[in-house]
Amino acid sequence: MTTQRLARPVRPQIVLEVLATEMLSEHMIRLTFGGPGFENFQDKPVSDRYVKILFAKPELGLIPPYDLDALREQLAPEDFPVRRTYTLHHVDLEAGTVQIDFVVHGDEGIAGPWALNAKIGDQICFNSPGGLYTPNPEFARHLLIGDETALPAISAAVLDMTPEMVGDIYLEVGGPEDHVTLDVPEGITVHWLHRGGPFTPENTRLESVVRAAPWSDDSVQVFAHGERETMKTLRAYLHGERKVDRKAMSLSAYWAFGRAEDEFQAEKKSPIGQIFPEVANA
Ligand SMILES: Cc1cc2nc3c(=O)[nH]c(=O)nc-3n(C[C@H](O)[C@H](O)[C@H](O)COP(=O)(O)OP(=O)(O)OC[C@H]3O[C@@H](n4cnc5c(N)ncnc54)[C@H](O)[C@@H]3O)c2cc1C
């Protein structure tokens, strides 16, 4: 018997332009995008919706949407557009706009520096969103943990919380200048942790603070995302030691220290890049 592989429907690229830019904090810039390309946007109504943005080298003069199959034939591998993954912090279907909050993490990289220098009218190109997590009222408590890269998703999740929800949010940032306002339900406590500067493996305290916090065996829904090694230690604590059910956890690496996203994504196929190795090997 032959098995037929079903072709995946091709999702159109969405090309939008920058409508507004706003510094939210010392190291976070919010860009609002919109324009006629929004008609291709297919929403996924979850809190952590994310997209893969395509960045082409400006000197090649390519105009989005990109014919990736053709470009693969024509371009040297190092000139092929690269992908960077970002949360859609807010989607306004009526206005036809989306907002993305970019961490400004220095001169290295593509997306961070691009966002910092973006001008009104600049174009961006991405596919319709993925994502799976929304705070679920069936859980007795909610535990949300992240660094700056997860802050856009966590602040979107807060907006989807119901007033009776209880739990804790642990957010690690450089310092008080990186705080943003989170309008949380009364039963949710926000804990800001300060590294005292940019992330290093030595100055992060996220896992040790979460580990030292009181634990209750009530049912808990977890959303934890951030730097890869921190997420591995949190996975060992929450799933390995506290036995939080895998299905109640949204936990992954959003980036890896010292790795550009291309390398970090490629490493997901090897042990160093795996957070839940039993799933990756399944
Ligand atoms: C599902 C998902 C959602 C995400 N949502 C967001 C979001 O809403 N906002 C956001 O800012 N990021 C988000 N990220 C993380 C973002 O994709 C990475 O930070 C990405 O590496 C940034 O691309 P870049 O081109 O700026 O840097 P890259 O070219 O990928 O990396 C260059 C260098 O910068 C370092 N670096 C990358 N990111 C950071 C950082 N945040 N802090 C310090 N050093 C860094 C790398 O380790 C590398 O050394 C998300 C990731 C995922 C998987």
Side-chain angles (χ1 to χ4, degrees), residues 12-256:
Q13 289 169 23
I14 298 137
V15 181
L16 300 179
E17 55 196 58
V18 177
L19 301 181
T21 76
E22 178 194 0
M23 283 309 293
L24 282 189
S25 65
E26 183 85 11
H27 297 103
M28 183 81 84
I29 185 163
R30 170 168 295 168
L31 302 190
T32 305
F33 302 94
F38 194 82
E39 67 182 24
N40 287 329
F41 184 81
Q42 294 162 29
D43 194 25
K44 182 150 195 207
V46 292
S47 300
D48 68 334
R49 4 160 138 82
Y50 64 84
V51 294
K52 302 243 169 223
I53 308 173
L54 283 165
F55 288 96
K57 286 186 173 174
E59 61 270 28
L60 296 178
L62 301 174
I63 312 267
Y66 304 116
D67 183 342
L68 295 179
D69 290 335
L71 291 179
R72 206 168 276 117
E73 305 278 311
Q74 293 159 13
L75 296 177
E78 62 275 18
D79 285 339
F80 195 71
V82 297
R83 289 188 167 84
R84 294 291 185 264
T85 312
Y86 278 83
T87 303
L88 297 183
H89 164 71
H90 182 65
V91 175
D92 186 332
L93 292 174
E94 268 182 38
T97 58
V98 301
Q99 285 178 328
I100 301 181
D101 297 347
F102 294 81
V103 176
V104 177
H105 59 85
D107 299 333
E108 267 191 86
I110 293 172
W114 176 85
L116 189 60
N117 294 305
K119 306 270 177 303
I120 306 296
D122 284 357
Q123 286 191 313
I124 194 171
C125 175
F126 55 80
N127 288 102
S128 284
L132 281 176
Y133 167 85
T134 300
N136 180 344
E138 285 171 18
F139 287 89
R141 72 187 179 101
H142 296 265
L143 183 56
L144 295 90
I145 307 165
D147 60 24
E148 296 88 337
T149 60
L151 183 48
I154 290 177
S155 54
V158 164
L159 297 176
D160 290 335
M161 286 179 167
T162 51
E164 65 283 0
M165 284 185 177
V166 296
D168 294 275
I169 300 178
Y170 293 89
L171 278 163
E172 186 176 84
V173 293
E177 66 281 8
D178 295 317
H179 289 202
V180 299
T181 307
L182 291 174
D183 194 7
V184 294
E186 219 177 296
I188 301 279
T189 307
V190 181
H191 309 261
W192 289 100
L193 317 179
H194 300 151
R195 291 181 306 256
F199 177 98
T200 69
E202 292 73 37
N203 69 13
T204 176
R205 296 186 304 125
L206 200 49
E207 187 259 348
S208 58
V209 168
V210 171
R211 178 180 276 278
W215 185 263
S216 123
D217 283 327
D218 291 343
S219 71
V220 62
Q221 186 186 20
V222 172
F223 183 82
H225 299 271
E227 201 281 327
R228 185 169 70 194
E229 293 307 310
T230 307
M231 290 302 122
K232 283 188 192 170
T233 57
L234 276 167
R235 179 259 193 220
Y237 171 61
L238 295 166
H239 185 60
E241 295 177 41
R242 293 295 185 186
K243 307 294 176 206
V244 178
D245 184 357
R246 174 76 186 89
K247 292 195 192 82
M249 300 178 78
S250 167
L251 186 151
S252 78
Y254 270 11
W255 68 288

